Amino acid sequence: MYASKLLRTVATFTPEEVKRLGRFLRSPYFFTPPLAKEVISLWEHIERYYPDWEGPALAKERSYAVVYPGEEFVVGRVDRVMSNLLKAIREFIIFEFSDLRDQKVTRQLVLAKYYQKRKLEKYYRGVMAQLEKIQARRQKDNLFYHDQFLVDREHTLFETFFNQRNKGYNVAQTLRSLGHFYLVYRLEYFCWLLTQDRHNVPLNLRGNLLENDQILAAFKQEIDWEDEPLLKVYDVAIQLIRGDGAAGEQAYRELKRLLTLYAREIPFKALKQFHALCRNYCTREYNKSRGAFLHELFALYQEHLELGTLFYQEKLTPATLRNIVVCALRTEAYDWVAQFLEAYRDRISSTNQPQAIYRFNLANYHFALGDYERALDCLTDRYDDIYYQLAAKRMELKIYYEIDLEVLDAKIAAFKIYIYRISKKVLPAIPREGNNNFIDLLKQIRRTNTRFNLPRIQKLTEKVSTKTSIAERDWLLQKLKKLTQD
């Protein structure tokens, strides 16, 4: 049974969940299959050896002897018992992890539906009144709008069948709550889509953005926008994502203002998304050579660290950690970076290499200080994260350039081959182009006919400055500027 789906599923349970599963299986209400006795026997045998799922006692033949003591082994017989046990475990998972016990509105709606079907109008209206009180106390997040639609829909269905004389069907309110529900999720997913890659949005979805504007305009006419802060903020967020130039900056300033104004009313999950939008905007503008946005971005990182919106499971992901360090080093906040890395060295999530991630960022810090040997010592040969792997290879090239090692040319060629061999599924087009551009321009800077050749240096500087996608742009510009001073 070692590699069976049954044991692999049970192996995911915590000790407490294993105990609850045992109680579930022994309940005749939840579990009455044809082979109940055999299934319980098999489960008790498995439970006895928890969590040793690969011990000899759980071999199929040994398990068979427990379920059918004294009987000759029959191929396929215990497999049927395993299948029935797995079916029961799936029912347990559905019951245990459905979140029904934690969702007050869903529970009350189930009760309301029961009273409606049994024509207990008095009790039904009591449940609906309780639902109104629950909704009135809730923060208006996405789930609130979803639940409000379900509540209004239930009320409409009831009135349609039981209150036909007065015709108070509640349809208008249900349509309104459906609109809220639809709009808030639509705006959320547009933000997700455009935040991930605003330049690669499919053409049909770009067209739908215009439709989205029409929907927003219609809603603004029929509801008081000031009473719906989440919708209002999403509206401005969409303007920020779509906007460029002065319109983009105006939307960014307005989004920051609204996030401060509605700080207590915006759900934390949405706040994290809006903060990410603000940081992405500043990064985008800085990459357009708008230097002032670098300090704006660093201030956002400091603020969002304090507010907790940068964390995942109370820790920082490798990407977030690196982005913070790179931004801070570019502002020359060296002491802050040193303190930050020490404070978060044990708070790195989503990686099997937390110490390697910490040491890479420490290497970045030493490199910024000009301590190239210590930076090189902090690097490892392999990172699970492809973007860390690429950044480490680029840093290695930069170090070899700074200390003028002959091996640099060979390393540049090896890096070029490495990028060529990476699957397009692993490395998308834009970062692939950015790394290739870095390599090509570093090779051109390295050429002997570049040094002391001011027209060529100026031409390369213009090329580095205007490339849409290029890694290590600031460092390359520094090296070109230094060539004019040598």
Side-chain angles (χ1 to χ4, degrees):
M1 295 197 302
Y2 302 130
S4 67
K5 186 182 291 186
L6 171 64
L7 287 186
R8 286 180 175 177
T9 302
V10 176
T12 64
F13 294 155
T14 66
E16 181 58 34
E17 288 165 354
V18 168
K19 291 179 182 178
R20 291 202 293 272
L21 172 58
R23 293 196 293 269
F24 179 91
L25 294 174
R26 294 181 183 94
S27 170
Y29 179 84
F30 289 112
F31 184 47
T32 55
L35 303 176
K37 181 180 178 181
E38 290 87 345
V39 170
I40 295 298
S41 296
L42 179 59
W43 166 249
E44 290 178 345
H45 176 61
I46 293 172
E47 187 180 27
R48 189 177 302 119
Y49 293 97
Y50 175 84
D52 182 14
W53 307 119
E54 297 183 0
L58 293 182
K60 191 172 290 186
E61 292 77 6
R62 293 277 294 273
S63 300
Y64 185 96
V66 172
V67 178
Y68 302 106
E71 297 186 29
E72 184 178 350
F73 182 80
V74 178
V75 176
R77 192 178 182 189
V78 77
D79 293 270
R80 286 183 296 154
V81 183
M82 291 169 60
S83 179
N84 275 276
L85 177 55
L86 183 57
K87 288 179 182 177
I89 289 174
R90 287 170 178 162
E91 290 297 319
F92 168 76
I93 291 172
I94 292 170
F95 175 79
E96 184 75 11
F97 299 99
S98 66
D99 294 329
L100 182 61
R101 286 170 295 182
D102 299 325
Q103 295 180 2
K104 293 181 180 179
V105 172
T106 305
R107 288 164 61 88
Q108 291 291 98
L109 281 171
V110 171
L111 198 56
K113 288 179 184 294
Y114 174 81
Y115 288 143
Q116 177 187 345
K117 288 181 179 180
R118 298 303 167 95
K119 297 181 173 57
L120 297 172
E121 182 177 351
K122 179 180 178 181
Y123 300 146
Y124 169 86
R125 293 195 181 279
V127 171
M128 295 303 290
Q130 184 63 30
L131 276 170
E132 289 182 9
K133 292 179 181 178
I134 292 173
Q135 287 294 90
R137 293 193 296 265
R138 290 178 65 184
Q139 187 180 48
K140 289 186 175 182
D141 58 4
N142 292 27
L143 187 57
F144 165 86
Y145 289 106
H146 169 267
D147 289 345
Q148 188 60 49
F149 164 65
L150 294 180
V151 170
D152 287 331
R153 177 176 176 271
E154 175 59 34
H155 186 52
T156 296
L157 292 174
F158 179 85
E159 296 294 344
T160 301
F161 289 104
F162 294 96
N163 193 24
Q164 295 186 13
R165 289 184 179 179
N166 296 330
K167 297 183 179 180
Y169 296 161
N170 197 53
V171 175
Q173 178 58 35
T174 303
L175 283 171
R176 185 176 181 225
S177 59
L178 173 61
H180 281 86
F181 161 52
Y182 165 79
L183 189 59
V184 73
Y185 275 93
R186 182 184 178 90
L187 290 172
E188 177 187 19
Y189 283 105
F190 267 129
C191 283
W192 280 9
L193 176 69
L194 299 180
T195 301
Q196 289 171 7
D197 194 346
R198 68 191 298 264
H199 298 292
N200 288 332
V201 178
L203 289 175
N204 63 319
L205 285 178
R206 292 183 196 174
N208 285 345
L209 286 174
L210 297 176
E211 176 192 338
N212 178 63
D213 284 345
Q214 295 170 5
I215 294 171
L216 282 173
F219 267 90
K220 288 176 182 177
Q221 290 178 3
E222 68 177 65
I223 66 175
D224 187 352
W225 210 243
E226 297 301 321
D227 291 338
E228 306 295 342
L230 184 58
L231 294 179
K232 187 174 182 179
V233 174
Y234 268 126
D235 181 22
V236 176
I238 291 290
Q239 295 175 36
L240 170 61
I241 295 170
R242 298 181 63 196
D244 284 311
E249 184 166 352
Q250 182 179 356
Y252 166 71
R253 302 297 176 192
E254 177 64 7
L255 181 58
K256 283 186 64 178
R257 186 187 73 81
L258 291 177
L259 292 178
T260 301
L261 179 64
Y262 297 126
R264 296 183 179 181
E265 299 175 66
I266 299 297
F268 188 72
K269 179 182 175 183
L271 186 63
K272 292 181 70 171
Q273 184 184 26
F274 296 136
H275 281 175
L277 281 175
C278 290
R279 296 193 303 272
N280 288 344
Y281 172 77
C282 289
T283 301
R284 193 166 76 236
E285 293 305 303
Y286 172 69
N287 289 336
K288 294 177 182 177
S289 300
R290 299 185 68 186
F293 277 92
L294 176 63
H295 293 275
E296 180 89 10
L297 178 60
F298 183 42
L300 287 180
Y301 274 125
Q302 291 175 300
E303 177 187 347
H304 298 168
L305 269 174
E306 186 176 345
L307 293 174
T309 54
L310 286 168
F311 298 121
Y312 173 73
Q313 295 179 343
E314 303 300 321
K315 296 181 179 181
L316 296 174
T317 65
T320 301
L321 184 74
R322 180 167 168 262
N323 289 340
I324 295 172
V325 169
V326 169
C327 178
L329 289 175
R330 284 176 179 170
T331 66
E332 300 182 358
Y334 303 125
D335 291 342
W336 186 92
V337 171
Q339 295 171 11
F340 167 76
L341 286 175
E342 188 61 31
Y344 288 93
R345 64 181 301 171
D346 297 321
R347 295 183 63 185
I348 305 173
S349 67
S350 308
T351 177
N352 294 321
Q353 302 176 296
Q355 278 307 301
I357 296 300
Y358 160 73
R359 288 184 60 78
F360 170 86
N361 286 282
L362 191 62
N364 226 340
Y365 166 74
H366 288 308
F367 180 86
L369 293 179
D371 194 344
Y372 304 123
E373 295 293 341
R374 291 184 69 180
L376 200 58
D377 288 342
C378 289
L379 298 177
T380 61
D381 294 332
R382 187 72 187 169
Y383 296 89
D384 292 341
D385 187 313
I386 184 63
Y387 294 100
Y388 266 80
Q389 184 73 14
L390 292 168
K393 287 183 177 297
R394 293 197 305 271
M395 184 180 295
E396 189 179 40
L397 296 185
K398 292 191 298 181
I399 290 172
Y400 290 153
Y401 179 94
E402 297 288 0
I403 59 182
D404 198 20
L405 288 183
E406 293 183 1
V407 73
L408 175 58
D409 292 330
K411 288 286 186 179
I412 289 175
F415 190 24
K416 186 77 171 180
I417 294 171
Y418 175 80
I419 293 174
Y420 175 77
R421 290 177 176 174
I422 299 175
S423 165
K424 292 181 179 179
K425 293 181 180 180
V426 175
L427 186 64
I430 292 178
R432 183 184 297 273
E433 180 187 1
N435 280 277
N436 273 322
N437 285 334
F438 165 73
I439 293 171
D440 294 341
L441 284 160
L442 180 59
K443 287 170 63 176
Q444 294 177 56
I445 293 172
R446 278 274 293 169
R447 289 175 183 169
T448 54
N449 64 339
T450 301
R451 183 166 294 186
F452 308 120
N453 187 338
L454 190 58
R456 178 174 171 79
I457 293 173
Q458 290 174 340
K459 186 175 180 179
L460 286 175
T461 299
E462 183 180 355
K463 188 180 292 187
V464 172
S465 301
T466 57
K467 281 283 186 184
T468 303
S469 179
I470 182 170
E472 312 291 349
R473 188 193 306 271
D474 287 353
W475 182 79
L476 290 172
L477 289 173
Q478 289 174 12
K479 299 307 106 181
L480 285 165
K481 183 177 181 181
K482 191 172 187 302
L483 287 178
T484 64
Q485 299 170 347
D486 290 343

Coordinates of all heavy atoms in Angstrom, one line a residue, residues 242-291:
R242 N -4.0 51.6 -16.1 CA -4.1 51.9 -17.5 C -3.4 53.2 -17.8 O -3.1 53.5 -19.0 CB -5.6 52.0 -17.8 CG -6.4 50.7 -17.7 CD -7.8 50.9 -18.1 NE -7.9 51.3 -19.4 CZ -9.0 51.8 -20.0 NH1 -10.1 52.1 -19.3 NH2 -9.0 52.1 -21.3
G243 N -3.2 54.1 -16.9 CA -2.7 55.4 -17.1 C -1.3 55.5 -17.3 O -0.5 54.8 -16.8
D244 N -0.9 56.5 -18.1 CA 0.5 56.8 -18.4 C 0.7 58.3 -18.2 O -0.3 59.1 -18.3 CB 1.0 56.4 -19.8 CG 1.2 54.9 -19.9 OD1 1.9 54.4 -19.0 OD2 0.7 54.3 -20.8
G245 N 1.9 58.8 -18.0 CA 2.2 60.2 -18.0 C 1.5 60.9 -16.8 O 1.4 60.3 -15.7
A246 N 1.0 62.1 -17.1 CA 0.3 62.9 -16.0 C -0.9 62.2 -15.5 O -1.2 62.2 -14.3 CB -0.1 64.2 -16.6
A247 N -1.7 61.5 -16.3 CA -2.9 60.8 -15.9 C -2.5 59.6 -14.9 O -3.2 59.4 -13.9 CB -3.7 60.2 -17.1
G248 N -1.4 58.9 -15.2 CA -1.0 57.9 -14.3 C -0.5 58.4 -13.0 O -0.9 57.8 -11.9
E249 N 0.2 59.4 -13.0 CA 0.7 60.0 -11.7 C -0.5 60.6 -10.9 O -0.5 60.4 -9.7 CB 1.7 61.1 -12.0 CG 2.3 61.6 -10.7 CD 3.6 62.4 -10.9 OE1 4.1 62.5 -12.0 OE2 4.0 63.0 -9.9
Q250 N -1.4 61.2 -11.6 CA -2.6 61.7 -10.8 C -3.4 60.6 -10.2 O -3.8 60.7 -9.0 CB -3.5 62.5 -11.8 CG -4.7 63.1 -11.2 CD -5.6 63.8 -12.1 OE1 -5.3 64.0 -13.3 NE2 -6.8 64.3 -11.7
A251 N -3.5 59.4 -10.9 CA -4.2 58.3 -10.3 C -3.5 57.7 -9.2 O -4.0 57.3 -8.2 CB -4.5 57.2 -11.4
Y252 N -2.1 57.7 -9.3 CA -1.3 57.2 -8.2 C -1.4 58.0 -6.9 O -1.6 57.5 -5.8 CB 0.2 57.2 -8.6 CG 1.2 57.0 -7.5 CD1 1.3 55.8 -6.9 CD2 2.0 58.0 -7.1 CE1 2.2 55.6 -5.8 CE2 2.9 57.9 -6.1 CZ 3.0 56.7 -5.4 OH 3.9 56.5 -4.4
R253 N -1.4 59.3 -7.1 CA -1.6 60.2 -5.9 C -3.0 60.1 -5.3 O -3.1 60.1 -4.1 CB -1.3 61.7 -6.3 CG 0.0 62.0 -6.9 CD 1.2 61.7 -6.0 NE 2.4 61.9 -6.7 CZ 3.6 61.6 -6.1 NH1 3.7 61.0 -4.9 NH2 4.7 61.8 -6.8
E254 N -4.0 59.9 -6.2 CA -5.3 59.7 -5.7 C -5.5 58.4 -5.0 O -6.2 58.3 -3.9 CB -6.3 59.8 -6.8 CG -7.8 59.6 -6.5 CD -8.3 60.7 -5.5 OE1 -7.6 61.6 -5.2 OE2 -9.5 60.5 -5.1
L255 N -4.9 57.4 -5.5 CA -5.0 56.1 -4.8 C -4.3 56.1 -3.4 O -4.9 55.6 -2.5 CB -4.3 55.0 -5.7 CG -4.3 53.6 -5.1 CD1 -5.7 53.1 -4.9 CD2 -3.6 52.6 -6.1
K256 N -3.2 56.7 -3.3 CA -2.5 56.9 -2.0 C -3.4 57.6 -1.1 O -3.5 57.3 0.1 CB -1.2 57.6 -2.2 CG 0.0 56.7 -2.7 CD 1.3 57.5 -2.7 CE 1.7 57.8 -1.3 NZ 3.0 58.5 -1.2
R257 N -4.1 58.7 -1.6 CA -4.9 59.5 -0.7 C -6.1 58.7 -0.2 O -6.5 58.7 1.0 CB -5.5 60.7 -1.5 CG -6.3 61.7 -0.6 CD -6.9 62.8 -1.5 NE -8.0 62.3 -2.3 CZ -9.2 62.1 -1.8 NH1 -9.5 62.4 -0.6 NH2 -10.2 61.6 -2.6
L258 N -6.7 57.9 -1.1 CA -7.9 57.1 -0.7 C -7.5 56.0 0.3 O -8.3 55.7 1.2 CB -8.5 56.5 -2.0 CG -9.2 57.5 -2.9 CD1 -9.8 56.7 -4.1 CD2 -10.4 58.2 -2.2
L259 N -6.3 55.4 0.1 CA -5.9 54.3 1.0 C -5.7 54.9 2.4 O -5.9 54.2 3.4 CB -4.6 53.7 0.4 CG -4.8 52.9 -0.8 CD1 -3.4 52.3 -1.3 CD2 -5.8 51.7 -0.7
T260 N -5.2 56.1 2.5 CA -5.1 56.7 3.8 C -6.5 57.1 4.4 O -6.8 56.8 5.5 CB -4.2 58.0 3.7 OG1 -3.0 57.7 3.2 CG2 -4.1 58.7 5.1
L261 N -7.3 57.6 3.5 CA -8.7 58.0 3.9 C -9.5 56.9 4.4 O -10.2 56.9 5.4 CB -9.4 58.7 2.8 CG -10.8 59.2 3.0 CD1 -10.8 60.3 4.1 CD2 -11.4 59.8 1.7
Y262 N -9.4 55.7 3.7 CA -10.3 54.6 4.0 C -9.4 53.5 4.7 O -9.8 52.3 4.5 CB -10.9 54.0 2.7 CG -11.9 55.0 2.0 CD1 -11.7 55.3 0.7 CD2 -12.9 55.6 2.7 CE1 -12.6 56.2 0.1 CE2 -13.8 56.4 2.1 CZ -13.6 56.7 0.8 OH -14.5 57.6 0.2
A263 N -8.4 53.8 5.4 CA -7.5 52.8 5.9 C -8.2 51.8 6.8 O -7.9 50.6 6.7 CB -6.4 53.5 6.8
R264 N -9.3 52.1 7.5 CA -10.0 51.2 8.4 C -11.1 50.4 7.6 O -11.6 49.4 8.2 CB -10.5 51.9 9.6 CG -9.5 52.5 10.5 CD -10.1 53.2 11.7 NE -9.2 53.7 12.6 CZ -9.5 54.4 13.7 NH1 -10.7 54.5 14.1 NH2 -8.5 54.8 14.5
E265 N -11.4 50.9 6.5 CA -12.5 50.3 5.7 C -12.1 49.3 4.6 O -12.9 48.5 4.1 CB -13.4 51.4 5.2 CG -14.0 52.2 6.3 CD -14.9 53.4 5.7 OE1 -15.9 53.1 5.1 OE2 -14.4 54.5 5.9
I266 N -10.8 49.4 4.2 CA -10.3 48.6 3.1 C -9.9 47.2 3.7 O -9.1 47.2 4.7 CB -9.2 49.2 2.4 CG1 -9.6 50.5 1.8 CG2 -8.6 48.3 1.3 CD1 -10.7 50.4 0.7
P267 N -10.4 46.1 3.3 CA -10.0 44.8 3.8 C -8.5 44.6 3.6 O -7.9 45.1 2.6 CB -10.7 43.8 2.9 CG -11.9 44.5 2.4 CD -11.4 46.0 2.3
F268 N -7.8 43.9 4.5 CA -6.4 43.8 4.5 C -5.9 43.1 3.3 O -4.9 43.5 2.7 CB -5.9 43.0 5.8 CG -4.4 43.0 6.0 CD1 -3.8 44.1 6.4 CD2 -3.7 41.8 5.7 CE1 -2.4 44.1 6.5 CE2 -2.3 41.8 5.8 CZ -1.7 43.0 6.3
K269 N -6.6 42.1 2.8 CA -6.2 41.4 1.6 C -6.2 42.4 0.4 O -5.2 42.3 -0.4 CB -7.1 40.2 1.3 CG -6.8 39.5 0.1 CD -7.9 38.4 -0.2 CE -7.6 37.7 -1.5 NZ -8.7 36.6 -1.7
A270 N -7.2 43.2 0.3 CA -7.3 44.2 -0.8 C -6.2 45.2 -0.6 O -5.6 45.7 -1.6 CB -8.6 44.8 -0.9
L271 N -5.9 45.6 0.6 CA -4.9 46.7 0.9 C -3.6 46.2 0.4 O -2.8 47.0 -0.1 CB -4.9 46.9 2.4 CG -4.0 48.1 2.9 CD1 -4.5 49.4 2.3 CD2 -3.9 48.2 4.4
K272 N -3.2 44.9 0.6 CA -2.0 44.4 0.1 C -1.9 44.5 -1.4 O -0.8 44.9 -1.9 CB -1.8 42.9 0.5 CG -1.7 42.7 2.0 CD -1.5 41.2 2.3 CE -0.2 40.6 1.9 NZ 0.0 39.3 2.4
Q273 N -3.0 44.3 -2.1 CA -3.0 44.4 -3.5 C -2.8 45.8 -4.0 O -2.0 46.1 -4.9 CB -4.3 43.8 -4.1 CG -4.4 43.8 -5.6 CD -5.7 43.3 -6.1 OE1 -6.7 43.5 -5.4 NE2 -5.7 42.8 -7.3
F274 N -3.5 46.8 -3.3 CA -3.3 48.2 -3.7 C -1.9 48.7 -3.4 O -1.4 49.5 -4.1 CB -4.4 49.0 -2.9 CG -5.8 48.7 -3.3 CD1 -6.8 48.5 -2.3 CD2 -6.2 48.5 -4.6 CE1 -8.1 48.2 -2.6 CE2 -7.5 48.2 -5.0 CZ -8.4 48.0 -4.0
H275 N -1.4 48.2 -2.3 CA 0.0 48.6 -2.0 C 1.0 48.1 -3.0 O 1.9 48.8 -3.4 CB 0.4 48.1 -0.6 CG -0.1 49.0 0.5 ND1 0.1 48.6 1.9 CD2 -0.8 50.1 0.5 CE1 -0.5 49.6 2.6 NE2 -1.0 50.5 1.8
A276 N 0.7 46.9 -3.5 CA 1.6 46.3 -4.6 C 1.5 47.2 -5.8 O 2.4 47.4 -6.6 CB 1.2 44.9 -4.8
L277 N 0.2 47.6 -6.1 CA 0.0 48.5 -7.3 C 0.8 49.8 -7.2 O 1.5 50.2 -8.2 CB -1.4 48.8 -7.5 CG -2.4 47.7 -8.1 CD1 -3.8 48.2 -8.0 CD2 -2.0 47.5 -9.5
C278 N 0.8 50.4 -6.0 CA 1.6 51.6 -5.8 C 3.1 51.4 -6.0 O 3.8 52.1 -6.7 CB 1.3 52.2 -4.4 SG -0.3 52.8 -4.2
R279 N 3.6 50.3 -5.5 CA 5.0 50.0 -5.6 C 5.4 49.7 -7.1 O 6.4 50.1 -7.6 CB 5.4 48.8 -4.8 CG 5.3 49.1 -3.3 CD 6.0 48.0 -2.5 NE 5.5 46.6 -2.7 CZ 4.5 46.1 -2.1 NH1 3.8 46.7 -1.2 NH2 4.1 44.8 -2.4
N280 N 4.5 48.9 -7.8 CA 4.7 48.6 -9.2 C 4.8 49.9 -10.1 O 5.6 50.0 -11.0 CB 3.7 47.7 -9.7 CG 3.8 46.3 -9.2 OD1 4.8 45.9 -8.6 ND2 2.8 45.5 -9.3
Y281 N 3.9 50.8 -9.7 CA 3.8 52.1 -10.5 C 5.2 52.8 -10.3 O 5.8 53.3 -11.3 CB 2.7 52.9 -10.0 CG 2.7 54.3 -10.6 CD1 2.3 54.5 -11.9 CD2 3.2 55.4 -9.9 CE1 2.4 55.8 -12.5 CE2 3.3 56.7 -10.4 CZ 2.9 56.9 -11.7 OH 2.9 58.1 -12.3
C282 N 5.6 52.9 -9.0 CA 6.9 53.6 -8.8 C 8.1 53.0 -9.5 O 8.9 53.6 -10.0 CB 7.1 53.7 -7.3 SG 6.0 54.8 -6.4
T283 N 8.1 51.6 -9.5 CA 9.1 50.9 -10.1 C 9.1 51.2 -11.6 O 10.1 51.4 -12.3 CB 9.0 49.4 -9.9 OG1 9.0 49.1 -8.5 CG2 10.1 48.6 -10.6
R284 N 7.9 51.2 -12.2 CA 7.7 51.4 -13.6 C 8.2 52.8 -14.0 O 9.0 53.0 -15.0 CB 6.3 51.2 -14.0 CG 6.0 51.2 -15.5 CD 4.6 50.7 -15.8 NE 3.6 51.7 -15.5 CZ 2.6 51.6 -14.7 NH1 2.4 50.5 -14.0 NH2 1.7 52.5 -14.6
E285 N 7.9 53.8 -13.2 CA 8.3 55.2 -13.5 C 9.8 55.3 -13.3 O 10.4 56.1 -14.1 CB 7.5 56.1 -12.6 CG 6.0 56.2 -12.9 CD 5.7 56.5 -14.3 OE1 6.2 57.6 -14.8 OE2 5.1 55.7 -15.0
Y286 N 10.4 54.7 -12.3 CA 11.8 54.8 -12.1 C 12.6 54.2 -13.3 O 13.6 54.7 -13.7 CB 12.2 54.1 -10.8 CG 13.7 53.9 -10.6 CD1 14.5 55.1 -10.3 CD2 14.3 52.7 -10.7 CE1 15.8 55.0 -10.2 CE2 15.7 52.6 -10.6 CZ 16.4 53.7 -10.3 OH 17.8 53.6 -10.2
N287 N 12.0 53.1 -13.8 CA 12.6 52.4 -15.0 C 12.5 53.3 -16.2 O 13.2 53.0 -17.2 CB 12.0 51.1 -15.2 CG 12.4 50.0 -14.2 OD1 13.5 50.2 -13.5 ND2 11.6 49.0 -14.0
K288 N 11.7 54.3 -16.2 CA 11.6 55.3 -17.3 C 12.6 56.5 -17.0 O 12.4 57.5 -17.7 CB 10.2 55.8 -17.4 CG 9.2 54.8 -17.8 CD 7.8 55.4 -17.9 CE 6.7 54.4 -18.2 NZ 5.3 55.0 -18.2
S289 N 13.5 56.2 -16.1 CA 14.5 57.3 -15.8 C 13.9 58.4 -15.0 O 14.5 59.5 -15.1 CB 15.2 57.8 -17.1 OG 15.9 56.7 -17.7
R290 N 12.8 58.2 -14.3 CA 12.3 59.3 -13.4 C 12.9 59.0 -12.0 O 12.3 58.3 -11.2 CB 10.8 59.2 -13.4 CG 10.2 59.5 -14.8 CD 8.7 59.6 -14.7 NE 8.2 60.8 -14.0 CZ 7.0 61.0 -13.7 NH1 6.0 60.2 -14.1 NH2 6.6 62.1 -13.0
G291 N 14.0 59.5 -11.7 CA 14.8 59.2 -10.5 C 14.1 59.5 -9.2 O 14.3 58.8 -8.2

